[in-house]
Amino acid sequence: MNKENLKKVFADKFPGEMGHVYASPGRINLIGEHTDYNGGFVFPGAVTQGIMAVIRPNGTDKVRAYSIDLNDYAEWAVSDPAGPEATCFRFVYGVARELTERGVQVKGFDTVFAGDVPLGAGMSSSAALESCFAYGLNDLFAQGEGISKWDMVLAGQATEHKYIGCNCGIMDQFASVFGKAGKLMRLDCNSREFEYFPFEPKGYKLVLVNSCVKHELAGSPYNDRRRSCENVAAAVQALHPDKEVKTLRDATWEDLKAVSGTCSAEDIKRATFVLGEKDRVLAVCEALNRGDYEEVGRQMYLTHQGLSKDYEVSCEELDYLNDIAKECGVTGSRIMGGGFGGCTINLVKDELYDAFVKRAVEAFQAKYHVEPKIIDVVIGDGSRRIE
Ligand code: GLA
């Protein structure tokens, strides 16, 4: 999205003084899928695509909002207990309320927003939108220092839980708020400690292939997956009253075996993926430390297999893209994000890149009559004020 266009539309919809411009990115995740709400590690980075918004306090108690991409307008009172119906505005409404709960005195504002993160591609367009408003509204309405970046992350996550119906973890909002150009971040979702990780895979590229199968996480089997994990964690806790088992982070392979008689076979399958993914993230950390990208790639394929067979969040199209990557000799490939559609993330040797992209596009189009979109990954900055 071009900032000048955004300002032009704003001036047209809401004449008068120009507002401030804020931006917040979508994300990729190298490895560590569905581990965030299990207290595990994730490895995301912000991308250069994101959401941009012009926001201007309007001196009333009303919010007036226009989404350029959806060509949709809504207005509501800041204190309205129900809020707007359309999903894209519910994100804005929810974030404003969550900021208010955290002590920011949000009043009425006018806003125009747009983005270039493909919707439903597993690149967290919703977190980009939430983080953009969490950052912007805090900047405009907070008295004194305002809330911390972590509070912005949590306000975005609470918006998903309370206003959208998706019981997501913290990875997406974290990546959007804390992202830094050229750096991945290794986050421990349990302690919330994280470190920036320079990601310069010399000789390799990261590329996303968007299957264009739209994924919709709210009210989806995403919440069921989370519940399965919680069931197993609760069974492990019952087994060990002496220790605290908050999430599957605190469970071992032995624990899993021990509860296999008391949990459903489906729940055990889900937890098997999660425990495997914990081990894979650690293996990838070690491999990255020694610059062993072939090992990183091997683990990515294993993650795909687990997401497809045990966690069952893949679909035919994503499995097909994964098969093509394998056939082409791509180093690593897997579903990225929540699943049920969206993109694969691929770690590809420079010399294979052209052949892989050509083959993926041609073969996918021939089979599904849809052109998959190729997105080259550039790791960008997190939430910020642009102007
Ligand atoms: C979605 C959620 C995240 C995370 C991923 C899977 O993107 O929003 O919290 O659980 O799925 O890793």
Side-chain angles (χ1 to χ4, degrees), residues 27 32-37 124 168-172 217 222 337-338:
R27 61 108 189 86
E33 221 62 90
H34 292 274
T35 45
D36 58 354
Y37 54 83
S124 298
C168 65
I170 52 172
M171 168 169 75
D172 304 350
L217 293 184
Y222 179 94

Side-chain angles (χ1 to χ4, degrees), residues 31-36 38-42 245 247-253 255 271-285 299 303:
I31 196 139
E33 221 62 90
H34 292 274
T35 45
D36 58 354
N38 283 302
F41 285 90
V42 290
V245 182
T247 58
L248 287 181
R249 168 75 176 267
D250 308 316
T252 63
W253 287 107
D255 293 333
T272 302
F273 164 77
V274 173
L275 263 62
E277 189 71 352
K278 281 203 302 192
D279 294 346
R280 284 187 286 275
V281 175
L282 296 180
V284 163
C285 291
Q299 298 293 336
T303 292

Side-chain angles (χ1 to χ4, degrees), residues 2 11 36 56 63 77 167 174 292 317:
N2 172 319
D36 58 354
R56 176 188 71 192
V63 178
N167 293 329
F174 162 79
D292 183 352
E317 291 87 342

Side-chain angles (χ1 to χ4, degrees), residues 95-122:
V95 166
R97 287 185 73 96
E98 287 302 315
L99 256 59
T100 306
E101 279 197 16
R102 286 164 177 76
V104 180
Q105 287 170 20
V106 179
K107 305 227 166 58
F109 57 91
D110 298 332
T111 182
V112 165
F113 59 92
D116 57 1
V117 207
L119 299 179

Side-chain angles (χ1 to χ4, degrees), residues 251-321:
T252 63
W253 287 107
E254 289 75 51
D255 293 333
L256 195 58
K257 225 197 241 154
V259 298
S260 61
T262 48
C263 296
S264 76
E266 188 178 271
D267 288 355
I268 293 293
K269 231 158 84 166
R270 308 299 187 233
T272 302
F273 164 77
V274 173
L275 263 62
E277 189 71 352
K278 281 203 302 192
D279 294 346
R280 284 187 286 275
V281 175
L282 296 180
V284 163
C285 291
E286 280 172 20
L288 283 177
N289 281 332
R290 14 172 240 277
D292 183 352
Y293 290 97
E294 292 302 309
E295 178 59 17
V296 172
R298 212 176 67 78
Q299 298 293 336
M300 289 169 75
Y301 277 114
L302 291 174
T303 292
H304 184 90
Q305 218 180 334
L307 285 169
S308 177
K309 302 288 176 293
D310 291 332
Y311 222 58
E312 296 182 281
V313 295
S314 187
C315 58
E316 192 195 312
E317 291 87 342
L318 287 171
D319 286 345
Y320 185 61
L321 285 174

Side-chain angles (χ1 to χ4, degrees), residues 82-148:
E85 262 172 33
T87 309
C88 71
F89 299 119
R90 290 200 68 71
F91 288 114
V92 180
Y93 169 76
V95 166
R97 287 185 73 96
E98 287 302 315
L99 256 59
T100 306
E101 279 197 16
R102 286 164 177 76
V104 180
Q105 287 170 20
V106 179
K107 305 227 166 58
F109 57 91
D110 298 332
T111 182
V112 165
F113 59 92
D116 57 1
V117 207
L119 299 179
M123 294 175 71
S124 298
S125 50
S126 354
L129 182 56
E130 289 148 12
S131 307
C132 187
F133 278 89
Y135 192 95
L137 295 179
N138 179 60
D139 189 50
L140 291 167
F141 291 107
Q143 266 138 19
E145 290 231 316
I147 61 170
S148 69

Side-chain angles (χ1 to χ4, degrees), residues 41-197:
F41 285 90
V42 290
F43 238 111
V47 291
T48 46
Q49 294 90 339
I51 297 280
M52 232 184 236
V54 183
I55 314 177
R56 176 188 71 192
N58 60 19
T60 73
D61 71 342
K62 245 201 190 144
V63 178
R64 304 190 293 171
Y66 178 67
S67 154
I68 296 184
D69 300 330
L70 302 175
N71 184 22
D72 201 0
Y73 173 84
E75 52 179 61
W76 62 89
V78 175
S79 58
D80 183 343
E85 262 172 33
T87 309
C88 71
F89 299 119
R90 290 200 68 71
F91 288 114
V92 180
Y93 169 76
V95 166
R97 287 185 73 96
E98 287 302 315
L99 256 59
T100 306
E101 279 197 16
R102 286 164 177 76
V104 180
Q105 287 170 20
V106 179
K107 305 227 166 58
F109 57 91
D110 298 332
T111 182
V112 165
F113 59 92
D116 57 1
V117 207
L119 299 179
M123 294 175 71
S124 298
S125 50
S126 354
L129 182 56
E130 289 148 12
S131 307
C132 187
F133 278 89
Y135 192 95
L137 295 179
N138 179 60
D139 189 50
L140 291 167
F141 291 107
Q143 266 138 19
E145 290 231 316
I147 61 170
S148 69
K149 282 190 167 186
W150 267 112
D151 276 332
M152 294 175 200
V153 170
L154 296 172
Q157 185 198 28
T159 297
E160 294 276 354
H161 291 192
K162 296 203 241 168
Y163 300 93
I164 305 296
C166 176
N167 293 329
C168 65
I170 52 172
M171 168 169 75
D172 304 350
Q173 293 78 8
F174 162 79
S176 189
V177 170
F178 282 96
K180 252 191 205 169
K183 306 259 195 312
L184 294 184
M185 295 165 286
R186 187 178 59 195
L187 167 70
D188 178 337
C189 299
N190 203 23
S191 66
R192 293 194 194 142
E193 278 167 18
F194 67 97
E195 72 184 286
Y196 289 100
F197 224 92

